[in-house]
């Protein structure tokens, strides 16, 4: 779905607020974690490549954010954290920043350091949440986010209404294909639930009047009764064949 103006504004405000938490400075850096004992539950960390020094600006734009569930000497159990990236589909609710959007992504245990990955501590979850909610633009973002969510709900209702209308149109056509199979005992047509309505039925008999010719042939050889033939033709009418 195309983002509305409110959704675009909410996304941009969230991205700007988040970036403001770590203003770029020449000497700015984030301290690398070398062992799990340096971490506590609800710490926020970033995962990054060891080939470049990690700056706050780089962490915002390129690193993967995680929340610590638990840690040991060499490993840490991490939960993915969504951060705002400037688009509505990548904008979490900043009021509860760090909380999972859903339960689909379970925590994963990782080594603190590997040959191709490093880990750095950004701060505690509650520290970052407090800095977000105290940002001067937080109130404006809340208002924009509320409107943006209303827009999303309206978009979903509109999409569902279109799907319901399409299903209402498809249902008799799908039933006609199924009934033809029941009458003839043959899979005369192929039904497709996706794609354009005029392409939902396919097969060699689905064009050039072949279905009606075939049904007439079945009736001619005694494979269909008169009643079955008439019902089959009604199915053809429903399908526009």
């Amino acid at each position: 779905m195309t983002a509305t103006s409110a959704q675009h504004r909410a996304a941009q405000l969230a991205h700007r607020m988040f970036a403001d938490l770590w203003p770029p400075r020449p000497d700015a850096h984030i301290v690398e974690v070398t062992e799990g004992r340096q971490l506590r539950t609800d710490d926020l960390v970033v995962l990054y490549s060891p080939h470049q020094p990690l700056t706050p600006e780089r962490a915002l734009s390129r690193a993967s954010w995680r929340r610590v569930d638990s840690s040991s000497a060499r490993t840490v159990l991490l939960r993915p954290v969504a951060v705002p990236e400037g688009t509505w589909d990548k904008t979490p609710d900043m009021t509860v920043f760090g909380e999972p959007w859903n339960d689909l992504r379970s925590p994963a245990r990782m080594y603190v350091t590997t040959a191709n990955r490093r880990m750095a501590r950004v701060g505690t979850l509650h520290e970052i949440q407090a800095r977000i909610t105290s940002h001067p633009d937080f109130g404006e973002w809340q208002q924009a986010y509320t409107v943006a969510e209303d827009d999303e709900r309206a978009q979903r209702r509109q999409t569902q209404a279109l799907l319901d209308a399409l299903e209402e149109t498809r249902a008799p056509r799908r039933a006609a294909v199924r009934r033809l199979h029941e009458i003839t005992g043959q899979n005369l047509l192929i039904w497709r639930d996706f794609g354009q309505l005029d392409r939902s039925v396919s097969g060699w008999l689905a064009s050039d009047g072949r279905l009606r010719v075939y049904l007439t042939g079945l009736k001619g050889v005694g494979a269909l009764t008169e009643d079955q033939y008439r019902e089959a033709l009604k199915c053809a009418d429903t399908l526009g064949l």
Side-chain angles (χ1 to χ4, degrees):
M1 292 182 289
T2 303
T4 65
S5 58
Q7 291 169 345
H8 178 72
R9 178 158 182 73
Q12 290 296 306
L13 280 170
H15 188 256
R16 189 175 71 201
M17 283 196 308
F18 199 59
D20 286 348
L21 301 184
W22 294 277
R25 299 195 312 269
D27 60 341
H29 68 283
I30 297 176
V31 178
E32 179 183 344
V33 174
T34 57
E35 58 179 26
R37 283 187 288 261
Q38 295 173 262
L39 299 172
R40 297 291 181 269
T41 299
D42 286 341
D43 276 350
L44 290 179
V45 299
V46 289
L47 311 179
Y48 64 99
S49 167
H51 304 299
Q52 295 181 1
L54 183 69
T55 64
E57 186 176 9
R58 183 166 177 269
L60 286 170
S61 61
R62 298 177 61 183
S64 296
W65 288 66
R66 299 290 190 273
R67 174 180 172 179
V68 176
D69 266 18
S70 62
S71 62
S72 62
R74 298 180 58 196
T75 66
V76 58
L77 188 64
L78 299 175
R79 186 181 298 276
V81 170
V83 298
E85 298 181 23
T87 59
W88 174 244
D89 61 320
K90 298 291 182 64
T91 300
D93 184 348
M94 303 298 284
T95 308
V96 288
F97 176 79
E99 301 294 336
W101 279 6
N102 53 57
D103 296 326
L104 298 180
R105 299 183 67 182
S106 301
R109 185 166 295 280
M110 300 181 181
Y111 284 104
V112 174
T113 60
T114 68
N116 298 313
R117 177 185 48 72
R118 295 291 186 270
M119 186 179 301
R121 182 182 180 276
V122 179
T124 71
L125 174 64
H126 301 299
E127 287 172 352
I128 304 304
Q129 286 177 336
R131 291 171 66 185
I132 290 172
T133 55
S134 63
H135 191 281
D137 293 337
F138 183 73
E140 183 182 356
W141 171 82
Q142 277 187 308
Q143 294 177 353
Y145 191 76
T146 298
V147 176
E149 284 193 308
D150 289 341
D151 286 350
E152 183 169 17
R153 283 189 286 268
Q155 289 173 321
R156 288 176 178 171
R157 287 193 298 268
Q158 183 179 26
T159 299
Q160 189 59 52
L162 292 172
L163 290 174
D164 291 344
L166 182 59
E167 174 58 24
E168 187 176 346
T169 304
R170 286 180 181 273
R173 295 169 65 88
R174 187 190 301 112
V177 172
R178 184 171 59 248
R179 184 58 183 149
L180 278 172
H181 172 68
E182 293 170 352
I183 292 171
T184 64
Q186 302 176 37
N187 291 317
L188 303 182
L189 301 168
I190 300 171
W191 173 259
R192 302 180 188 278
D193 259 321
F194 303 98
Q196 298 178 6
L197 184 62
D198 59 357
R199 297 180 181 177
S200 59
V201 178
S202 61
W204 187 78
L205 297 176
S207 60
D208 301 326
R210 296 189 185 111
L211 176 61
R212 292 177 182 272
V213 172
Y214 189 76
L215 293 172
T216 301
L218 290 178
K219 177 177 176 293
V221 298
L224 296 180
T225 66
E226 185 66 35
D227 288 343
Q228 287 175 324
Y229 177 64
R230 282 198 299 269
E231 187 178 359
L233 289 180
K234 288 180 181 179
C235 291
D237 289 341
T238 299
L239 295 166
L241 300 177

